[in-house]
Amino acid sequence: MDAFQKEIDERTNLTSSNKFELLLFRLGTPDGSTDKPGELYGINVFKIREIVPMMDITAAAGMRSPMLGMVNIRGQVMSVVDLPAVAGCKPGHGFNILLITEFARHTQAFAVESVEEIVRLDWSQVLPADSHASGSVVTSIARLDSAQDGGRLVQVLDVEQILNMISPVKEQIEPVPAGSNELKIKPGSVVLAADDSRMARALIEQCLTDLKLPYVMTTDGVQAWKKLQELARQAEQEGKPLTDKVAMVLTDLEMPEMDGFTLTRKIKASDLYKQLPVVIHSSLTGAANEDHVRSVGANGYVAKFSPPELAAMLRKVLPP
């Protein structure tokens, strides 16, 4: 476990090359059988604070599935989530490991059957799950293309969706007081947004709708980059500046095929696009990630999911 913690700086540096590391674990099988290993699932290492053996869980009154109860880890009490239940599995060998996760300003423990390994992947090896998997808690499919892995596929869990199942976002954007300046962008321009999580997209769309900001939503960095190029061509054909088509870019960090760091670097490295404000909206909170946000030239960073804070950041970066 100590070696796992010591490698965090090296993992952080992977963001400069469109790479990341995935923790692989098993949750069991649909029927709880023990004659074969369960399917592989994955979660970005950046979301893992530590891995601990299963401990006694205190069941809370009125707590329902997928919640198992609470644990006390070094003085911090946190909820324990039955991750196999969320994914429709049964652990044939029982719960043996707790994954202590930190993301979207929450700390929680995920109970799993077993932990396999940590693999280093390029985001191009990760494909959106919409056309490959029907489960609402799977956000993408990772291809482990190596001789040793034998072409295995890993289901990457949509932890934002899981967290919202446990603790739904209830914050709302405060109405703009009468007489104050409302957020306005050029007529015909849009906010170009990118996020691979269904739940995150829904929240972003609601936030932008409440702010009366037109938007174009994409599901990964590649889609966002292509859409930006398309809008730039339209602006050129019409003899207009790019800002008449795109007001700003709002991007997640973890996305299939191209992550938000890479998308931001590409935008800021282009003479045509670099004037566009870019805000990174991510569940990967912490000083290390915020330092990387600054290093790639983003204009702002806001942690998921707080609609008022997202609204405040948009008001900050959009031209008056």
Side-chain angles (χ1 to χ4, degrees), residues 80-93:
V80 180
V81 182
D82 182 345
L83 203 52
V86 171
C89 298
K90 296 179 181 179
H93 298 283

Side-chain angles (χ1 to χ4, degrees), residues 4-14 46 288 292:
F4 172 83
Q5 300 295 331
K6 290 178 182 178
E7 291 173 1
I8 187 64
D9 288 338
E10 180 184 353
R11 294 193 176 100
T12 299
N13 292 331
L14 291 175
F46 268 128
H292 274 276

Side-chain angles (χ1 to χ4, degrees), residues 52-65:
V52 299
M54 179 55 66
M55 58 181 61
D56 291 336
I57 298 175
T58 301
M63 187 170 283
R64 298 179 180 179
S65 180

Side-chain angles (χ1 to χ4, degrees), residues 188-258:
S189 66
V190 298
V191 173
L192 178 58
D195 202 298
D196 67 321
S197 167
R198 296 178 184 89
M199 194 275 294
R201 291 197 298 270
L203 288 174
I204 293 168
E205 289 172 355
Q206 184 59 56
C207 181
L208 295 176
T209 298
D210 290 346
L211 293 169
K212 300 179 181 179
L213 293 174
Y215 61 86
V216 171
M217 180 62 71
T218 60
T219 59
D220 58 57
V222 170
Q223 280 191 19
W225 179 246
K226 290 180 178 178
K227 188 62 181 179
L228 180 59
Q229 292 175 310
E230 177 188 332
L231 292 170
R233 286 193 296 269
Q234 291 178 11
E236 182 181 13
Q237 291 169 0
E238 297 173 15
K240 297 178 178 179
L242 176 60
T243 50
D244 279 13
K245 294 291 184 180
V246 185
M248 64 165 291
V249 176
L250 176 66
T251 180
D252 186 20
L253 287 182
E254 301 174 280
M255 295 184 293
E257 300 193 87
M258 182 193 295

